[in-house]
Amino acid sequence: MIADRLFKLVEEKGHVCVGLDTDYSYLPKNFADKFESKAVAIYNFNKEIIDATYDVVSCYKVQIAYYEALGIEGMKAYSDTLKYIKQKGMISIADIKRGDISKTAEMYAMGHFTGDFEADFVTLNAYMGINDSLEPFLKYVKENDKGIFALVRTSNKGAKDFQYIRDEDGVPLYETVGERIQLLAEENVGKCGFSSIGAVVGATNNEEGLALRNKMKSVFLLIPGYGAQGGKAEDIATYLICGNGAVVNSSRGILLAYKNEENGEHDFAMCARREAIRMRDDIRAHI
Amino acid sequence: MIADRLFKLVEEKGHVCVGLDTDYSYLPKNFADKFESKAVAIYNFNKEIIDATYDVVSCYKVQIAYYEALGIEGMKAYSDTLKYIKQKGMISIADIKRGDISKTAEMYAMGHFTGDFEADFVTLNAYMGINDSLEPFLKYVKENDKGIFALVRTSNKGAKDFQYIRDEDGVPLYETVGERIQLLAEENVGKCGFSSIGAVVGATNNEEGLALRNKMKSVFLLIPGYGAQGGKAEDIATYLICGNGAVVNSSRGILLAYKNEENGEHDFAMCARREAIRMRDDIRAHI
């Protein structure tokens, strides 16, 4: 089960998930100039980052929007990046946040769990309905060792618009979504105690986080927002169960680490590695 | 403004939006066999459908999931389909239901309003927050004559899971979303009375539909679910204002119309045309 594999990678290498939200403008100029197109440069940048970090992180999250922005060439770079992650024996999370129903959801599941865009995990938005949105993906979770992270609560300011709306019993929407995900997860728990049916939960304040975690004990969490977005290691600790059960994403913090070091642009991959190790140790120190 | 162009196309050609949710299995075998790949066959099928219908429908909705399912080749067919719609002088709606924030949303906007995947309208999911999710797209609405349809209420069974949750004042979530979209739309109304900031609203029962429409008077609607999904022309009428302000999508009803005619597979495009005209007249008869 992919959740067990992720659990073991977290035990061994720590909680860091490297976000390959790779915008062309992030690439050091001297490196970018070597390639014939933006998309090829981005793929090669990703490759260097993966080579420099795969022994100190647990997984990679590839944000598809950055690749869609570059059209067909970008989608090729996306596909190549996912294949390279697999080749390195690592786990890929396709951050696609797809949310649709019935046959359309089936097509998304096929698109992102097989073929050119095959990933180990996908992120999903279940606003259109839990079963309607997720069911076609669950078939792959059960039969093809795949996993999902459903959006439960994000940490952006606008999350308040809808996710925090309280129902007639005073329960915020994100909690209702979270409870539904927990019910699905309970039916599919792996040997290490977590399900391959996971959730995206932004690291916000501890009290609220703890309450949510207590309602979602079987759910593996993908936590965005470390570093650049303000999430701290002590906040992360709230979401861990016996030190595991979550991966923590950092994108710019790692990809752009070279900007904080003198002459970093000539050694961006090693700067990324140092930042990934610092982040790994920062989280471990707070467990 | 794209909403004015859509308004005029609706006046002239009717409310039908052809959904190019083209699955390879929908193609007549004798036609499909002519092409070297599934993706190329699908593109050519779309081309025939567009050629046969563009004078009797107002726009085309291309459901990206069906193309993502076929990987890079599928994305090429998606891009080619959008280009062909443009070449015919028609309006394209990219049914992508993307929902993300800040820089990621910017990348989606760039990806679907420029370059290989450029469309006139995109569908969006604002669950992560109205401004956070939509803002990067609104720039293109204002400056590049683009439009959006934000998900407000869908007509699938699972829509009840979250969209219908009532807040402490008894207001269902979909209505809160709808009101927020109306506020944005009001600021961007075109000459014909509607904004290029539109909404996806499933055709459900009339009373509820009327109440929602009354709260969203400036919003152009994209209504899915006609025919195959149970929506009827009399339900559609509820959502029209002076006979305009909405397009109605039919996908399988039109693409697979050939299955209802004897030897239809040899003339699938003309069968699609006849069904589009029937649907157009059915809706017009109920205004």
Side-chain angles (χ1 to χ4, degrees), chain A residues 68 97 100 112 128 132 156, chain B residues 68 97 100 112 132 156:
Chain A
E68 289 185 28
K97 295 192 183 69
D100 215 305
H112 297 278
M128 291 181 76
D132 293 0
N156 56 309
Chain B
E68 288 185 29
K97 296 193 183 70
D100 215 305
H112 297 279
D132 293 359
N156 56 309

Side-chain angles (χ1 to χ4, degrees), chain A residues 20 43 46 50 62 67 77-85:
Chain A
L20 296 170
Y43 167 61
N46 289 347
I50 296 164
V62 192
Y67 304 86
Y78 176 76
S79 170
D80 289 343
T81 300
L82 289 172
K83 281 179 192 139
Y84 195 68
I85 295 166

Side-chain angles (χ1 to χ4, degrees), chain A residues 111-174:
Chain A
H112 297 278
F113 280 154
T114 71
D116 288 341
F117 306 141
E118 182 179 355
D120 294 309
F121 282 89
V122 297
T123 60
L124 298 174
N125 179 325
Y127 176 71
M128 291 181 76
I130 283 277
N131 292 333
D132 293 0
S133 307
L134 305 185
E135 196 104 274
F137 293 87
L138 300 186
K139 193 174 82 73
Y140 292 87
V141 171
K142 285 167 197 157
E143 295 168 17
N144 304 80
D145 207 18
K146 299 297 183 188
I148 65 160
F149 290 105
L151 277 183
V152 166
R153 199 200 56 206
T154 55
S155 52
N156 56 309
K157 213 175 140 205
K160 306 273 174 196
D161 288 353
F162 307 122
Q163 297 168 37
Y164 282 73
I165 289 178
R166 287 177 187 276
D167 68 14
E168 290 162 310
D169 301 320
V171 180
L173 179 60
Y174 75 76

Side-chain angles (χ1 to χ4, degrees), chain B residues 212-223:
Chain B
L212 183 60
R213 184 38 134 171
N214 282 333
K215 289 180 192 282
M216 298 176 68
K217 289 192 172 165
S218 314
V219 177
F220 216 104
L221 301 181
L222 167 60
I223 305 177

Side-chain angles (χ1 to χ4, degrees), chain A:
Chain A
M1 186 184 269
I2 192 78
D4 289 331
R5 239 184 94 205
L6 187 54
F7 182 96
K8 283 168 196 158
L9 282 165
V10 169
E11 286 295 305
E12 192 189 327
K13 304 184 187 187
H15 305 79
V16 178
C17 170
V18 180
L20 296 170
D21 307 15
T22 315
D23 184 35
Y24 184 71
S25 71
Y26 297 171
L27 277 52
K29 200 176 172 309
N30 60 314
F31 181 81
D33 285 349
K34 289 187 213 163
F35 303 97
E36 69 271 26
S37 76
K38 285 186 179 183
V40 171
I42 286 172
Y43 167 61
N44 279 280
F45 179 86
N46 289 347
K47 219 163 153 258
E48 300 254 347
I49 297 283
I50 296 164
D51 284 341
T53 55
Y54 75 95
D55 59 329
V56 297
V57 306
S58 50
C59 54
Y60 295 89
K61 179 173 86 58
V62 192
Q63 172 48 261
I64 197 169
Y66 288 74
Y67 304 86
E68 289 185 28
L70 297 177
I72 303 286
E73 282 295 305
M75 296 310 286
K76 181 86 178 30
Y78 176 76
S79 170
D80 289 343
T81 300
L82 289 172
K83 281 179 192 139
Y84 195 68
I85 295 166
K86 188 175 189 172
Q87 194 182 314
K88 283 291 194 180
M90 295 295 282
I91 284 178
S92 59
I93 301 169
D95 196 356
I96 59 174
K97 295 192 183 69
R98 300 300 191 252
D100 215 305
I101 56 167
S102 59
K103 176 107 184 166
T104 302
E106 273 173 41
M107 298 310 264
Y108 276 136
M110 188 203 291
H112 297 278
F113 280 154
T114 71
D116 288 341
F117 306 141
E118 182 179 355
D120 294 309
F121 282 89
V122 297
T123 60
L124 298 174
N125 179 325
Y127 176 71
M128 291 181 76
I130 283 277
N131 292 333
D132 293 0
S133 307
L134 305 185
E135 196 104 274
F137 293 87
L138 300 186
K139 193 174 82 73
Y140 292 87
V141 171
K142 285 167 197 157
E143 295 168 17
N144 304 80
D145 207 18
K146 299 297 183 188
I148 65 160
F149 290 105
L151 277 183
V152 166
R153 199 200 56 206
T154 55
S155 52
N156 56 309
K157 213 175 140 205
K160 306 273 174 196
D161 288 353
F162 307 122
Q163 297 168 37
Y164 282 73
I165 289 178
R166 287 177 187 276
D167 68 14
E168 290 162 310
D169 301 320
V171 180
L173 179 60
Y174 75 76
E175 205 174 291
T176 306
V177 181
E179 284 171 352
R180 293 294 299 270
I181 301 294
Q182 168 65 19
L183 288 176
L184 285 174
E186 277 170 17
E187 293 168 19
N188 297 274
V189 175
K191 289 188 206 118
C192 302
F194 294 98
S195 170
S196 301
I197 298 167
V200 179
V201 172
T204 54
N205 76 71
N206 287 344
E207 205 177 309
E208 185 188 280
L210 197 62
L212 183 60
R213 184 36 134 171
N214 281 333
K215 288 180 192 284
M216 299 176 69
K217 289 193 172 164
S218 314
V219 177
F220 216 104
L221 301 181
L222 167 60
I223 305 178
Y226 178 91
Q229 290 174 56
K232 294 191 189 72
E234 49 264 44
D235 301 327
I236 305 300
T238 310
Y239 297 90
L240 300 176
I241 297 178
C242 300
N244 206 315
V247 290
V248 183
N249 184 73
S250 172
S251 301
R252 276 168 290 174
I254 291 173
L255 304 185
L256 296 179
Y258 74 86
K259 295 202 170 180
N260 301 325
E261 296 198 25
E262 208 177 332
N263 292 316
E265 67 271 23
H266 297 290
D267 204 11
F268 68 84
M270 277 304 123
C271 297
R273 177 183 177 79
R274 281 190 285 275
E275 169 58 17
I277 291 173
R278 191 203 60 73
M279 177 176 162
R280 178 196 67 186
D281 296 343
D282 181 32
I283 297 168
R284 280 185 172 163
H286 285 85
I287 296 177

